């Protein structure tokens, strides 16, 4: 397709404002998915996306629009809305010329509406403002059109009104996209340059690479080069997703599609890399994406130690599909061999863990998540700590923790509740603005460690679900942080060490020792459980001794039952971890790490 007839756009919105539903209607109206094959959230391919009703991965689809000489090809990229997945959004934006900014007409502008709009503006995209869900009785499209127009500097009449549910206004929106989104520009005669914006591993087809062609063209059977690695591959198949893969004779300037090279190694097709022709290579690569930086770390361990190689392989495969995933091997006294994995946030952690468990049939345990700390020792050397058990034990000069700038949008009546929450989380108010009479925007600087865990849940419950939150990293600050260790009979249990603010150390110690007392079975001898900061004990519980006798329960003669019990006990022994002299069933660690 000639570039003049192409339109590449994405849909950006706050979570739940209806992107996926609107995308469904577009697929239907353009005829690429017929009514029979239609199901809700068509593009959310992963089970986990469908169950949770959220989009995790971006998806690109090509749709025809218009007839005859005016037949346009629209490439739509559906993007996730949750703050953890902002990096997916920014990658999609780089492949587009326009963005549909979708706002729920019953909710108005929310925190991620702003965050995504700013990302789109940074990428110089044409913005099409749209109010969605106008079928809802609570919709107030006129009121929010004012808000939206004020935000992006247009007239309220420029805001289209649609319903992804009923399909109202969607035809007009498709026409508006053709009219307002500029066609892609590139040099058709230059050596090919195509940006890899996604890669997935497919069991049957190997690595499938999604690209957006900027200059030149890519054609089947020719040799291509990945510019960062210089690796050469033959293009076995090239095509577009519509939304099922459709092979084509090639991809030209501005086109979005997929490549198959028969490569099986996931590392050969890196998101952000530039693809060029081997016979006529481009001189310079396109500006790639900056790799997203993990914000939260957690240890991931297979419950069955023999699954370790499967976990390693599974992480390698997920990494291809998820540039933000980072991991290194790690061993723990309590949990055995595993990985220290870096995530963008807690939702990202949950999703990765769930995908590993489902797609690779693994049973996993994850340690309590933590952020990254910079520890300056007395000799001025700096240690980066991603695992609390590696926190230096000697004299420490300073501990720095990552900070975020948080933006909270909420009805004005909740200002007091929000301020109270933020103060309790060591936050500092930076400013406050009224977006309208009843809506405020509060800006805070907060330690990331305080915000990534239960902050969002608390914010939601204190504002009856009305507040929305967005945050971005803004550098480090020194704080009064200490490492709390948990000791069993004097031995540190690495998986339970935590870095916490001095004021919260005692509470953490009391909570953990009490919990372990409940979970660890009695031994032949007394076992002290202690919480300590360095050599100073801050909390203690004791597990009293008993004589372990599994046969005690069986009064009388049922021999076969006794044998069964003894066997069970032997089985259980295999799963015991020994800390010092104390035998701890692995279940105890798992329970201690999984409950709150
Ligand atoms: P994420 O992918 O998680 O960011 O969400 P999303 O923005 O894609 O939202 P989604 O399309 O999943 O819709 C969220 C909820 O709003 C679902 O329960 C939809 O059924 C509902 N919804 C979406 N569009 C409309 C609409 O036009 N009218 C009504 N009444 N409900 C809608």
């Amino acid at each position: 397709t000639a570039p003049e007839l192409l339109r590449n756009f994405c849909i950006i919105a706050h979570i739940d404002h209806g992107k996926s539903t609107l995308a469904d209607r577009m697929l239907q109206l353009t005829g690429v998915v017929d009514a029979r094959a239609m199901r809700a959230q068509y593009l959310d391919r992963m089970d986990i996306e469908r169950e949770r009703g959220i989009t995790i991965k971006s998806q690109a689809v090509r749709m025809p629009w218009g007839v005859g000489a005016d037949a346009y090809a629209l490439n739509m990229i559906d993007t996730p809305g949750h703050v953890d997945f902002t990096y997916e959004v920014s990658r999609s934006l780089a492949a587009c010329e326009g963005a549909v900014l979708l706002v729920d007409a019953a909710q108005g502008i929310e925190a991620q509406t702003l965050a995504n709009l700013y990302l789109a503006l940074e990428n110089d995209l044409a913005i099409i403002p749209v109010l969605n869900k106008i079928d809802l009785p609570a919709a107030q499209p006129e009121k929010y059109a004012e808000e939206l127009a004020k935000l992006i500097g247009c007239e309220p009449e420029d805001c289209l009104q649609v319903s992804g549910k009923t399909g109202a206004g969607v035809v007009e929106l498709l026409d508006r996209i053709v009219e307002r989104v500029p066609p892609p520009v590139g040099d058709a005669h230059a050596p090919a340059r195509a940006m890899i914006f996604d890669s997935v591993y497919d069991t049957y087809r190997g690595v499938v690479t999604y690209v957006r062609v900027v200059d030149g063209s890519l054609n089947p059977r020719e040799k291509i080069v990945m510019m960062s690695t210089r690796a050469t591959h033959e293009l076995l198949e090239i095509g577009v997703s519509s939304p099922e893969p459709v092979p084509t004779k090639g991809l030209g300037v501005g086109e979005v599609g997929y490549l198959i090279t028969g490569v099986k190694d996931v590392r050969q097709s890196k998101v952000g890399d530039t693809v060029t022709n081997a016979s006529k290579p481009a001189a310079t690569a396109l500006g790639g994406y900056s790799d997203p930086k993990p914000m939260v770390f957690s240890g991931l361990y297979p419950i069955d130690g023999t699954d370790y190689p499967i976990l390693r392989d599974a992480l390698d495969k997920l990494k291809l599909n998820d540039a933000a995933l980072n991991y290194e091997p790690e061993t723990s006294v309590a949990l055995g061999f595993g990985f220290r994995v870096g995530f963008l946030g807690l939702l990202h952690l949950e999703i990765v863990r769930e995908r590993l468990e489902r797609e690779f049939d693994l049973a996993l345990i994850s340690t309590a998540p933590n952020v990254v700390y910079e520890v300056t020792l007395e000799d001025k050397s700096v240690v980066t700590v991603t695992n609390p058990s590696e926190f230096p034990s000697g004299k420490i000069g300073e501990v720095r923790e990552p900070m975020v700038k948080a933006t909270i949008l909420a009805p004005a009546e909740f200002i007091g509740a929000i301020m109270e929450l933020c103060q309790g989380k060591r936050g500092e108010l930076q400013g406050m603005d009224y977006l309208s009479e009843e809506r405020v925007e509060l800006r805070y600087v907060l330690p990331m460690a305080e915000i990534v865990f239960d902050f969002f849940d608390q914010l939601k419950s204190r504002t009856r679900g009305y507040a929305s939150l967005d945050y971005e990293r803004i550098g480090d600050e020194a704080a009064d942080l200490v490492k709390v260790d948990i000791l069993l009979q004097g031995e540190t249990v690495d998986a339970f060490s935590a870095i916490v603010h001095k004021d919260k150390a005692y509470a953490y110690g009391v909570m953990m020792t009490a919990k372990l007392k409940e979970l660890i079975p009695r031994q032949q001898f007394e076992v002290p459980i202690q919480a300590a900061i360095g050599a100073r004990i801050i909390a203690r519980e004791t597990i009293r001794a008993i004589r372990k006798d599994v046969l005690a329960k069986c009064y009388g003669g049922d021999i076969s039952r006794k044998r069964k019990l003894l066997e069970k006990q032997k089985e259980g022994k295999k799963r015991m971890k020994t800390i010092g002299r104390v035998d701890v069933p692995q279940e105890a660690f798992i329970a201690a790490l999984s409950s709150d």
Side-chain angles (χ1 to χ4, degrees):
T1 311
E4 305 81 66
L5 296 176
L6 284 175
R7 298 292 183 269
N8 297 325
F9 72 99
C10 54
I11 308 176
I12 53 177
H14 187 74
I15 193 156
D16 278 346
H17 280 202
K19 287 181 305 289
S20 303
T21 307
L22 177 63
D24 286 349
R25 285 299 81 67
M26 289 182 170
L27 293 178
Q28 244 178 331
L29 281 168
T30 57
V32 297
V33 178
D34 65 29
R36 228 165 356 108
M38 198 66 211
R39 51 167 202 259
Q41 287 186 286
Y42 193 90
L43 296 176
D44 288 346
R45 290 295 170 82
M46 287 187 274
D47 288 346
I48 177 167
E49 292 183 304
R50 307 176 62 81
E51 274 164 31
R52 291 179 178 232
I54 57 171
T55 306
I56 298 163
K57 292 295 302 177
S58 298
Q59 288 280 351
V61 195
R62 185 178 168 119
M63 306 176 291
W65 189 242
V67 280
D70 275 341
Y72 291 90
L74 309 182
N75 285 307
M76 168 175 62
I77 303 186
D78 184 26
T79 60
H82 190 277
V83 59
D84 276 15
F85 303 113
T86 304
Y87 74 102
E88 283 276 346
V89 180
S90 57
R91 267 168 30 194
S92 316
L93 295 187
C96 299
E97 279 78 34
V100 171
L101 178 66
L102 199 65
V103 173
D104 186 325
Q107 304 268 324
I109 293 162
E110 298 284 4
Q112 265 96 52
T113 316
L114 297 179
N116 287 329
L117 171 65
Y118 298 147
L119 276 178
L121 291 173
E122 273 168 31
N123 281 280
D124 287 326
L125 302 192
I127 309 286
I128 300 178
V130 176
L131 290 160
N132 190 28
K133 307 197 189 180
I134 51 162
D135 61 290
L136 284 176
Q140 295 176 281
E142 268 68 44
K143 173 177 161 191
Y144 292 123
E146 293 266 339
E147 244 183 60
L148 194 52
K150 205 170 99 192
L151 179 69
I152 59 179
C154 65
E155 295 304 319
E157 302 75 63
D158 293 336
C159 301
L160 283 179
Q161 300 191 4
V162 309
S163 164
K165 190 173 174 184
T166 65
V170 181
V171 167
E172 290 77 2
L173 173 56
L174 288 164
D175 288 338
R176 180 75 60 98
I177 289 167
V178 167
E179 189 189 309
R180 293 285 170 86
V181 176
V185 217
D187 183 348
H189 306 292
R193 292 200 298 172
M195 168 76 81
I196 301 181
F197 67 89
D198 202 4
S199 269
V200 283
Y201 181 81
D202 182 292
T203 324
Y204 304 106
R205 304 194 294 169
V207 176
V208 182
T209 304
Y210 292 88
V211 295
R212 139 96 202 226
V213 178
V214 175
D215 292 322
S217 63
L218 295 172
N219 303 292
R221 296 284 146 205
E222 74 188 0
K223 287 227 154 53
I224 53 158
V225 180
M226 303 288 180
M227 291 188 76
S228 74
T229 58
R230 297 271 146 212
T232 310
H233 305 288
E234 189 185 339
L235 276 181
L236 300 179
E237 186 182 318
I238 186 163
V240 297
S241 311
S242 195
E244 305 311 324
V246 180
T248 62
K249 294 204 185 72
L251 292 176
V253 167
E255 289 194 282
V256 176
Y258 68 88
L259 312 176
I260 292 175
T261 58
V263 172
K264 293 273 184 230
D265 181 6
V266 297
R267 281 167 293 247
Q268 299 255 1
S269 195
K270 207 170 147 255
V271 168
D273 203 352
T274 302
V275 179
T276 189
N277 311 113
S279 57
K280 199 172 94 175
T284 51
L286 300 162
Y289 312 105
S290 48
D291 266 340
K293 247 176 121 180
M295 311 235 199
V296 178
F297 285 79
S298 164
L300 269 188
Y301 293 83
I303 286 181
D304 178 352
T306 59
D307 281 346
Y308 178 77
I310 305 177
L311 175 59
R312 187 182 49 211
D313 189 47
L315 283 167
D316 282 349
K317 286 198 174 121
L318 272 195
K319 165 87 183 162
L320 171 78
N321 200 228
D322 186 347
L325 195 62
N326 267 278
Y327 48 94
E328 268 174 31
E330 161 179 285
T331 45
S332 149
V333 181
L335 303 169
F337 290 99
F339 290 91
R340 178 104 308 218
V341 189
F343 302 95
L344 296 169
L346 279 202
L347 180 63
H348 187 213
L349 187 164
E350 257 182 64
I351 300 282
V352 168
R353 187 177 153 182
E354 214 172 307
R355 285 189 67 185
L356 288 169
E357 296 196 318
R358 286 175 177 221
E359 294 169 28
F360 302 91
D361 203 20
L362 287 161
L364 300 171
I365 176 75
S366 50
T367 61
N370 59 272
V371 298
V372 185
Y373 298 95
E374 299 281 339
V375 183
T376 310
L377 303 174
E378 279 214 319
D379 63 3
K380 299 278 176 271
S381 60
V382 179
V383 187
T384 303
V385 177
T386 56
N387 181 347
S389 70
E390 286 163 6
F391 195 81
S393 50
K395 277 267 180 209
I396 284 164
E398 183 183 66
V399 186
R400 299 175 71 81
E401 64 176 340
M403 304 297 286
V404 298
K405 192 177 86 186
T407 308
I408 300 169
L409 264 63
E413 59 183 291
F414 297 114
I415 292 176
I418 294 169
M419 285 184 161
E420 194 183 74
L421 172 66
C422 291
Q423 263 151 28
K425 300 282 183 186
R426 302 189 278 136
E428 250 175 61
L429 182 64
Q430 304 292 303
M432 187 168 97
D433 286 310
Y434 279 82
L435 294 178
S436 63
E437 254 163 51
E438 71 267 29
R439 272 177 91 67
V440 287
E441 174 186 336
L442 292 119
R443 290 180 302 278
Y444 268 92
V445 168
L446 286 141
M448 187 189 294
E450 301 283 352
I451 212 168
V452 286
F453 306 123
D454 63 343
F455 185 87
F456 189 60
D457 291 340
Q458 288 199 34
L459 180 68
K460 282 283 177 193
S461 72
R462 286 176 195 225
T463 59
R464 294 207 306 274
Y466 281 115
S468 62
L469 165 75
D470 191 73
Y471 58 83
E472 59 177 320
R473 235 200 109 151
I474 51 157
D476 294 348
E477 256 179 41
D480 231 342
L481 299 163
V482 292
K483 178 176 75 150
V484 179
D485 287 320
I486 303 296
L487 296 87
L488 266 188
Q489 241 203 357
E491 298 268 340
T492 306
V493 188
D494 52 7
F496 295 128
S497 296
I499 297 167
V500 292
H501 191 261
K502 217 177 77 200
D503 296 345
K504 293 178 180 170
Y506 176 72
Y508 178 77
V510 169
M511 187 266 296
M512 277 318 280
T513 48
K515 189 147 87 174
L516 286 173
K517 185 188 174 184
E518 289 301 310
L519 292 167
I520 296 176
R522 289 182 176 191
Q523 314 271 322
Q524 315 282 27
F525 43 86
E526 196 176 271
V527 179
I529 309 172
Q530 298 162 305
I533 300 174
R536 190 161 57 88
I537 305 296
I538 56 170
R540 174 185 171 127
E541 294 275 358
T542 307
I543 304 171
R544 287 210 314 279
I546 55 146
R547 237 187 69 78
K548 188 161 49 176
D549 183 1
V550 284
L551 302 184
K553 282 188 214 151
C554 307
Y555 18 85
D558 186 352
I559 286 293
S560 71
R561 179 136 175 261
K562 273 187 196 164
R563 197 171 299 132
K564 240 190 214 147
L565 270 172
L566 282 171
E567 237 144 64
K568 237 190 186 162
Q569 194 187 30
K570 228 165 56 201
E571 195 57 31
K573 273 255 169 65
K574 279 195 238 144
R575 288 287 186 82
M576 290 283 178
K577 303 278 172 175
T578 313
I579 308 278
R581 287 201 299 139
V582 187
D583 288 333
V584 184
Q586 199 179 11
E587 276 102 60
F589 289 124
I590 295 169
L593 287 169
S594 41
S595 54
D596 302 309

